[in-house]
Amino acid sequence: MSVEGGGFTMATGQKSMELFVSVKVSSVPAGANFLRVQFPDPATKEPRDTRTLKLDGPKEYKASSSPMSKLKYLDAYPVVIQLCSDRNGTQVVEQITQPVRFELPPAMQAQLGVNQ
């Protein structure tokens, strides 16, 4: 399992953000049935918002958080990614933590006139 990408998107109404990750599962380990992605609380950075996806063989999976507000620019938010045997995540087969940074790509910074 590896993280292929991650970042943020503007949520509907553009008053909040959604964090997202793309996870590539190249082979499903024995006993793994679900992919769980835990997005952090913006204030505490502790896991708060969980997305659980049924594993459907080796492929790329994508997950997004609920809309969040009060993300701090250039801060990294830890996203916990688990392969589990059960939906509740009590039996974790593999786990990685991927920091996702809230930042604007260089092209968007130039468009908005933002200097770093």
Side-chain angles (χ1 to χ4, degrees):
M1 162 174 71
S2 63
V3 177
E4 296 295 307
F8 73 96
T9 56
M10 298 294 283
T12 307
Q14 299 190 7
K15 292 188 179 184
S16 59
M17 307 282 181
E18 294 174 355
L19 296 177
F20 73 89
V21 291
S22 298
V23 180
K24 183 176 184 180
V25 178
S26 52
S27 64
V28 178
N33 298 311
F34 296 93
L35 173 71
R36 283 175 41 101
V37 181
Q38 296 176 313
F39 294 97
D41 178 281
T44 65
K45 297 187 181 177
E46 294 296 319
R48 174 189 77 171
D49 185 13
T50 302
R51 299 288 183 261
T52 304
L53 306 169
K54 177 86 171 124
L55 285 174
D56 187 29
K59 67 178 188 178
E60 188 170 322
Y61 297 86
K62 295 182 181 183
S64 295
S65 70
S66 297
M68 299 178 168
S69 59
K70 300 183 182 175
L71 294 173
K72 293 182 182 170
Y73 190 65
L74 296 178
D75 258 9
Y77 294 89
V79 178
V80 178
I81 302 151
Q82 302 171 321
L83 294 176
C84 304
S85 59
D86 65 321
R87 182 174 287 278
N88 296 326
T90 55
Q91 297 178 345
V92 177
V93 176
E94 186 178 340
Q95 175 175 309
I96 57 176
T97 300
Q98 176 68 42
V100 175
R101 287 181 59 142
F102 168 42
E103 62 185 334
L104 297 173
M108 187 178 283
Q109 288 179 20
Q111 185 179 20
L112 296 173
V114 176
N115 296 323
Q116 280 193 321

